[in-house]
Amino acid sequence: MPLDTTPLNSLGLAKKPSETRVVVAMSGGVDSSVVAARLAEEGYDVVGVTLQLYDHGAALAKKGACCAGRDIHDARRVAETMGFPHYVLDYENTFREAVIDEFADSYLAGATPVPCIRCNERVKFRDLLETARDLDADCMATGHYIQRQAGPHGAELHRAADPRRDQSYFLFSTTQEQLDFLRFPLGHLESKAETRALAERYGLSVADKPDSQDICFVPNGDYASVIEKLRPGAADPGEIVHADGRVLGRHEGVLHYTIGQRRGLGIGGLAEPLYVVKLDVPERRVIVGPKEMLATRRVPVAEINWLGDAPFTSRAEWHLAVKVRSTRPPREAVIRPLSDTEAEVELVTPEEGVSPGQACVFYDPDSTRIFGGGWIRRS
């Protein structure tokens, strides 16, 4: 039987671009638009798909968010400009059940959830990816800033070339099976300016469109007002209590506070600066204390998605670097597996403001590779 001598195309597949169908997840922003335009220019069989996620871009949508009404229009215009088909899929119910409802419930339970990760995990990289397979696509491409590299044991996930744009924290839950099917054509770019220059070259109307900010369904970053709409009556008042037991004041709902918060506590006139160190949801109490009480060394992690070559439980300890918040750099840590999906993470240097509901993402300290991660649980 003769060997297949077809060279790999730019997406790593042994097919001509014209014979390679690529579903591009188009949010309506400049990043995914450039991915679609670039692949279309290279001759790929591009199919653009945009998800309508909430209220047809109305009730909870905001200007500058992804998957809102304006963004669907922008994605359609890009498809028309570059001459490839574009479809809009109604995922409103799926998005509400898989992302928004959990966000509200987690917040009310005193956690600090990251719905963008759940959206990638449960909607874009699960349901949309299955739709791509149903369309007989060879792969699915997105505009995320992260790299997929071929390794000796299969596809590996690596940080973006531009550390300012790197989205690895939000994509840690990408499974190995999904990674085999996904492509991230922008991950190697050195800056966002390169992406916008490409958009201008292709004549795309979104070349100067601002980046989306915050959570797409949370206007102006006001989590509390959205949760009050989703869960009427959730803002029950209670006490603000010092860690030593002193009652310092009253609050209008635990949902207005997050671990590590200092400003807006409503307890002025005290000599020492105080921070939210714990949220006691059952008792409706906000516990405050000095900054040193925020320092955490041991972090329980669950729902782990492991992307290492060897099984997670094949070692008693993994010496890696971890991120416990999206805005912080990876820090040295020891990860001790408790099961295939649970571990205790010991931070070499204690971190402040570690909060249940945030992600703990695992990094190779000696390269750009990502080994997955999990969700921070209560101690």
Side-chain angles (χ1 to χ4, degrees), residues 52-62 67-70 72 92:
Q52 177 253 306
L53 296 181
Y54 46 85
D55 295 331
H56 303 279
L60 293 177
K62 67 189 178 82
C67 308
R70 177 69 191 179
I72 292 171
E92 183 178 334

Side-chain angles (χ1 to χ4, degrees), residues 86-125:
H86 174 258
Y87 301 96
V88 178
L89 304 181
D90 184 351
Y91 275 38
E92 183 178 334
N93 289 338
T94 298
F95 185 69
R96 186 179 186 98
E97 293 169 4
V99 179
I100 296 180
D101 284 345
E102 184 188 85
F103 168 81
D105 292 339
S106 296
Y107 215 88
L108 288 174
T112 309
V114 191
C116 296
I117 298 177
R118 289 302 196 193
C119 181
N120 289 326
E121 173 188 302
R122 296 176 175 176
V123 181
K124 294 176 182 176
F125 289 178

Side-chain angles (χ1 to χ4, degrees), residues 324-362:
V324 293
R325 292 188 85 95
S326 63
T327 55
R328 297 180 183 176
R331 302 288 177 84
E332 187 179 357
V334 178
I335 301 168
R336 299 184 177 92
L338 302 176
S339 71
D340 289 336
T341 59
E342 298 175 301
E344 180 186 72
V345 175
E346 182 177 355
L347 305 171
V348 173
T349 302
E351 288 265 5
E352 296 174 352
V354 177
S355 176
Q358 294 283 300
C360 179
V361 182
F362 308 156

Side-chain angles (χ1 to χ4, degrees), residues 30 34 37-42 81-82 193-205 207:
V30 64
V34 165
R38 188 172 191 173
L39 294 175
E41 183 191 53
E42 292 178 8
T81 298
M82 298 304 299
E194 291 184 58
T195 306
R196 294 197 180 277
L198 286 169
E200 291 180 2
R201 197 186 101 193
Y202 298 133
L204 304 184
S205 58

